[in-house]
Amino acid sequence: MRFLTKMKNDRPYIIAGPCSLESEEQILKCAEGISKLGIEVLRAGIWKPRTHPGSFEGIGDAGVLMLKEAAMKYGLKCATEVANPKHIESALKGGIDILWIGARTTGNPFMVSEIASALSGTDIPVMVKNPLNPDIELWCGAIERLTRSGLSNITALHRGFYSYTDGIYRNPPMWHIPVELRRRFPKMRIICDPSHICGDRRLVEEIAQQAITFGFDGLMVECHPDPERALSDAGQQVTPQMLGEILSHLKIPVSTDKEKDFDRMAEELRSTIDSLDETLIDILARRMDAVRSIGSLKRKMGLPVLQPQRWNNVLESALVHAKEHSLDTSFIEKIFTLIHEESMKNQVRQS
Ligand code: PEP
Ligand code: MN
């Protein structure tokens, strides 16, 4: 897998631009603003997926030329969202440099397949947003469909996930999901879109910082010359000036060289942890063998599987032991509850 472009001086890779391209004037102002910040890629939605018909659905095909011309005027690359083969044809004809697949599309394998076939033979850089729902398999599946079509320049784009509970974020980040994606595709670039996570420009800086602290490779931030009057996502876009401030506050962790030094120093500790993890599994297996033997005994003597007094004693002595080792007792309680559940399951299966 190749990277989109090389990062200069280990800086995060930044993409910025309006949620939607609205007019020539708007995109030119935006391109000028972000180019002054040293940003290299201009984003803009041309075909917008909207919940209700009648909302602004993007400027359509005419926007391709406007986006390309604004980017070229300021020496930028440009990126837009494509959701079907018609969008792809129009974007490729117009010389759009980078494409992205939106969250609503990633969740639909039929659409991803059509997109993958339409892109086959091009090897244009493609960014794949996570699906709306917190389902890592759909995200991976979309990436795999594109790589199987011969595309090698793929970036994952994390934009948060739909949640049933109300919180401060429009789409809570659920960091464990992109972290697991990185484990599965360690060489693939992952970029964070704090704008769609936050839904509120006041929160963008904090999420951008968290992403960079997690080791994401870059950010895609929605940026509009007059955000309050934007035709879509008005609450979450920042002005180029605000973006400049956000970027100047970013604390970027360890350079690649420092990371290599760290890896070397951590190697010994990591092998200790690996071997302790193996021991943990061996011990769990031995514990389960003993549990099964007691299970046979209970069955032979006609006794019930669950013996509450015994379970209380097990838990209590585990918590006393945990305290002696300064381990968090609620953490140990969770682990022992899981172990006990699994043990009961094993004994019930036997009887
Ligand atoms: C966008 O980037 O403007 C967009 C529509 O994002 P998402 O697909 O993440 O909702
Ligand atoms: Mn948007």
Side-chain angles (χ1 to χ4, degrees):
M1 199 136 335
R2 277 191 292 122
F3 281 160
L4 211 53
T5 62
K6 282 246 158 55
M7 277 182 281
K8 283 185 193 155
N9 318 319
D10 271 349
R11 273 194 303 116
Y13 187 76
I14 311 289
I15 299 169
C19 175
S20 305
L21 193 156
E22 297 164 4
S23 67
E24 205 166 354
E25 189 197 350
Q26 172 233 26
I27 197 68
L28 281 166
K29 264 196 193 157
C30 204
E32 183 185 8
I34 69 162
S35 70
K36 283 187 184 153
L37 302 174
I39 292 170
E40 290 150 34
V41 186
L42 175 67
R43 67 147 275 160
I46 292 173
W47 304 279
K48 297 301 296 179
R50 303 308 299 276
T51 305
H52 294 285
S55 315
F56 175 62
E57 288 183 319
I59 197 164
D61 289 347
V64 172
L65 187 63
M66 290 184 209
L67 176 59
K68 183 69 185 175
E69 284 189 349
M72 291 211 316
K73 179 162 180 198
Y74 293 97
L76 304 167
K77 288 194 170 169
C78 58
T80 199
E81 173 176 346
V82 289
N84 63 40
K86 269 207 218 145
H87 298 161
I88 292 173
E89 193 189 333
S90 179
L92 292 179
K93 232 193 244 163
I96 302 295
D97 304 290
I98 299 163
L99 306 177
W100 83 80
I101 296 181
R104 288 152 195 81
T105 309
T106 305
N108 184 336
F110 284 136
M111 289 164 75
V112 176
S113 283
E114 281 192 24
I115 289 173
S117 319
L119 288 173
S120 134
T122 66
D123 213 16
I124 185 165
V126 181
M127 304 189 286
V128 184
K129 287 212 180 194
N130 62 259
L132 294 177
N133 49 324
D135 180 345
I136 190 168
E137 302 305 335
L138 276 173
W139 201 2
C140 291
I143 291 167
E144 284 157 16
R145 282 198 160 83
L146 293 168
T147 50
R148 282 186 188 197
S149 262
L151 292 151
S152 64
N153 199 339
I154 309 255
T155 298
L157 190 40
H158 167 235
R159 50 80 77 200
F161 300 88
Y162 176 77
S163 157
Y164 283 106
T165 50
D166 281 339
I168 58 168
Y169 300 117
R170 178 181 177 192
N171 295 290
M174 304 188 194
W175 295 108
H176 62 283
I177 298 181
V179 166
E180 168 61 12
L181 192 84
R182 169 140 278 175
R183 191 187 67 76
R184 295 193 194 184
F185 299 98
K187 290 194 182 138
M188 190 174 56
R189 172 184 288 202
I190 303 189
I191 285 181
C192 179
D193 165 353
S195 309
H196 288 89
I197 290 177
C198 297
D200 178 338
R201 65 184 128 266
R202 291 168 303 181
L203 305 172
V204 167
E205 179 167 337
E206 188 188 319
I207 289 292
Q209 180 62 66
Q210 283 183 32
I212 295 303
T213 307
F214 265 111
F216 279 57
D217 303 290
L219 302 168
M220 175 155 103
V221 185
E222 282 192 344
C223 176
H224 190 291
D226 188 1
E228 258 129 69
R229 274 192 269 173
L231 299 181
S232 58
D233 287 348
Q236 71 193 29
Q237 305 200 59
V238 294
T239 60
Q241 193 197 342
M242 288 164 78
L243 180 58
E245 280 159 27
I246 291 173
L247 296 179
S248 72
H249 297 159
L250 273 188
K251 292 184 200 72
I252 299 159
V254 291
S255 75
T256 324
D257 275 353
K258 278 194 194 149
E259 219 167 346
K260 276 185 200 142
D261 288 346
F262 167 80
D263 279 347
R264 226 173 291 126
M265 290 189 281
E267 209 169 313
E268 204 180 303
L269 286 168
R270 281 180 177 148
S271 45
T272 308
I273 290 175
D274 289 348
S275 90
L276 285 171
D277 284 348
E278 266 177 41
T279 313
L280 261 177
I281 304 276
D282 290 345
I283 289 175
L284 281 174
R286 276 163 51 197
R287 191 187 192 282
M288 210 49 87
D289 283 344
V291 162
R292 282 195 209 97
S293 305
I294 295 185
S296 318
L297 216 55
K298 284 180 189 165
R299 200 176 59 241
K300 261 192 218 142
M301 304 185 73
L303 294 172
V305 161
L306 180 64
Q307 296 188 310
Q309 191 50 45
R310 164 69 185 153
W311 164 227
N312 269 340
N313 295 344
V314 168
L315 187 58
E316 260 170 39
S317 55
L319 295 182
V320 170
H321 199 178
K323 259 195 199 145
E324 284 165 11
H325 287 275
S326 306
L327 285 166
D328 179 3
T329 46
S330 73
F331 162 65
I332 296 299
E333 184 169 347
K334 273 189 216 148
I335 290 190
F336 269 75
T337 306
L338 277 176
I339 292 176
H340 181 247
E341 258 176 46
E342 186 61 24
S343 304
M344 294 293 95
K345 261 195 238 157
N346 266 271
Q347 292 189 343
V348 168
R349 259 187 243 130
Q350 280 179 304
S351 42

